[in-house]
Amino acid sequence: MVVRSSLQSRLFSTFVGDCRVIQATLPLHRLFRHNPGGKHVSMQLSRDFSGLTNLLFNRRNIEELPNRNHKRLTPGKVSPRRPVPDHIRRPPYVNSRKPPGIASGLEVHDEIGIEKMRASGKLAAQVLEYAGTLVKPGITTDEIDQAVHKMIIENGAYPSPLGYGGFPKSVCTSVNECICHGIPDSRALEDGDIINIDVTVYLNGYHGDTSATFFVGDVDEEARNLVKVTKECLDKAISICAPGVEYKKIGMTIHDHADKHRYGVVQQFVGHGVGRVFHADPVILHFRNNDRGRMVLNQTFTIEPMLTIGSIQPVMWDDDWTVVTEDGSLSAQFEHTILITENGAEIITQS
């Protein structure tokens, strides 16, 4: 999650008092680059990756890009922030004047923590499943946000995105070429759209994070196949997870499968540790990489690949959140929170 000096608040949450983490001193500008006055987002990769990326995915002038079958997204009207009852426990970043920073340290849990993670993951899965039933032509993304917000607080939880680094809504809704972090607004979904709904709940001090891409009405085969392969990438990545497995095998698994179908893998946005903190170590790269590190028993983290039909170059809107593909091509994403177990991985956000 990237862009601008304020982006540090978009990726990682603050130090949590009862969590075995510290706020890291590594600033996000060491990982990501944003040119003032421009809209492109780039990632500080190793020489091998940065050279290959520049060769294969050279930036183009946005005005020269080809037209697509669907209309280009444009911002709608964003409604006022929805209230949360006072009795519901809030994540520390909601009441802090400081933007969330990078939380270092793995999210490794004891038995009590595991049960709390399962509870938050179960609720997140239920909310996402419900949100998916609302998807149809004519409904606005703001109406989806309203329904998600209501269900979360009725279950005694807090919608984690709300107030995170200034995010104004309770869920992310990313339509068509939107890669991630779409802000729910007055735009009505149209027949043939695809939409990713990203739900995170904070229940009893633990975050559960999940997302899925849904079809709006009659969706063409091109979009359906993109969504299908993206889900397959996630499933294949989860299947190789177990104690001692290198994190980099996740990126290799995803990238290999995407390549078979000639889809691009977005590199600037990552999976992450999650639990008592919204975003923590490890950073999970969804593309081929040489990062070190191995999975640990009883840790929790997300895997959330984003695939595109065309360019993998992201462009950020002026709202500092909404990220779209440079060429307007479709993007799809799926995400689960997983728990590393003795026998592999448990999907704790499985519906």
Side-chain angles (χ1 to χ4, degrees):
M1 308 174 184
V2 304
V3 157
R4 311 210 173 173
S5 59
S6 63
L7 181 64
Q8 185 166 353
S9 64
R10 315 289 154 81
L11 254 186
F12 300 92
S13 77
T14 54
F15 170 80
V16 179
D18 61 349
C19 184
R20 292 168 290 173
V21 297
I22 59 173
Q23 185 164 353
T25 58
L26 178 65
L28 276 192
H29 67 258
R30 291 273 301 277
L31 293 174
F32 303 102
R33 182 190 297 117
H34 176 261
N35 295 323
K39 292 181 179 294
H40 289 94
V41 178
S42 60
M43 187 175 185
Q44 304 280 19
L45 303 174
S46 67
R47 291 182 181 178
D48 292 342
F49 285 118
S50 61
L52 183 61
T53 300
N54 288 335
L55 177 64
L56 297 179
F57 302 101
N58 193 29
R59 293 175 181 171
R60 291 170 287 169
N61 187 300
I62 296 175
E63 283 71 26
E64 297 175 354
L65 297 174
N67 293 324
R68 300 296 174 184
N69 292 330
H70 62 270
K71 299 176 184 176
R72 283 292 187 92
L73 288 177
T74 56
K77 182 178 180 181
V78 178
S79 63
R81 177 169 168 166
R82 294 188 165 88
V84 177
D86 291 339
H87 71 273
I88 290 179
R89 181 176 178 180
R90 287 151 168 77
Y93 54 78
V94 173
N95 296 318
S96 174
R97 294 185 179 182
K98 295 181 179 180
I102 300 172
S104 62
L106 304 180
E107 283 284 344
V108 180
H109 310 279
D110 58 18
E111 286 302 318
I112 295 176
I114 289 173
E115 289 308 311
K116 289 186 176 181
M117 280 301 299
R118 285 172 174 153
S120 64
K122 180 179 179 180
L123 177 59
Q126 291 172 337
V127 173
L128 179 61
E129 184 176 29
Y130 170 62
T133 67
L134 304 176
V135 172
K136 62 181 179 180
I139 192 171
T140 68
T141 51
D142 186 65
E143 288 173 322
I144 293 174
D145 178 82
Q146 183 179 30
V148 166
H149 181 91
K150 183 174 184 290
M151 183 174 179
I152 293 173
I153 63 175
E154 285 181 347
N155 282 274
Y158 184 90
S160 301
L162 186 63
Y164 183 78
F167 193 80
K169 289 297 175 180
S170 298
V171 68
C172 296
T173 52
S174 301
V175 179
N176 293 338
E177 70 263 35
C178 185
I179 297 171
C180 59
H181 306 159
I183 299 175
D185 61 19
S186 60
R187 181 190 183 276
L189 296 180
E190 299 178 2
D191 189 63
D193 286 346
I194 60 173
I195 177 174
N196 175 270
I197 301 177
D198 192 340
V199 172
T200 311
V201 305
Y202 184 67
L203 179 66
N204 297 323
Y206 289 75
H207 297 271
D209 191 1
T210 187
S211 84
T213 299
F214 299 93
F215 301 131
V216 183
D218 185 16
V219 176
D220 64 36
E221 190 61 29
E222 182 181 49
R224 286 182 176 274
N225 195 61
L226 172 69
V227 172
K228 173 178 175 289
V229 173
T230 306
K231 180 60 164 58
E232 290 171 353
C233 283
L234 174 60
D235 293 342
K236 288 178 179 292
I238 293 173
S239 72
I240 60 94
C241 292
V245 173
E246 295 175 306
Y247 297 120
K248 67 182 181 182
K249 289 189 176 180
I250 293 174
M252 181 185 302
T253 300
I254 292 169
H255 215 154
D256 284 352
H257 191 61
D259 277 355
K260 289 179 182 178
H261 296 271
R262 304 182 64 83
Y263 292 132
V265 180
V266 177
Q267 299 184 3
Q268 286 83 351
F269 301 91
V270 300
H272 52 87
V274 64
R276 290 153 293 191
V277 175
F278 195 172
H279 297 98
D281 286 335
V283 170
I284 303 296
L285 303 178
H286 302 117
F287 57 95
R288 296 185 194 95
N289 65 88
N290 292 315
D291 279 14
R292 298 178 180 178
R294 295 177 182 271
M295 301 172 200
V296 176
L297 181 67
N298 294 336
Q299 77 170 129
T300 49
F301 58 86
T302 72
I303 304 175
E304 43 190 293
M306 287 148 271
L307 270 57
T308 69
I309 288 178
S311 172
I312 63 170
Q313 178 63 47
V315 175
M316 182 171 283
W317 282 4
D318 290 339
D319 61 20
D320 283 348
W321 282 105
T322 306
V323 178
V324 298
T325 57
E326 183 183 47
D327 60 359
S329 62
L330 293 178
S331 179
Q333 180 188 18
F334 283 86
E335 173 185 13
H336 272 309
T337 298
I338 65 171
L339 167 71
I340 301 301
T341 66
E342 292 181 354
N343 299 318
E346 174 187 338
I347 303 173
I348 63 174
T349 48
Q350 186 76 60
S351 59

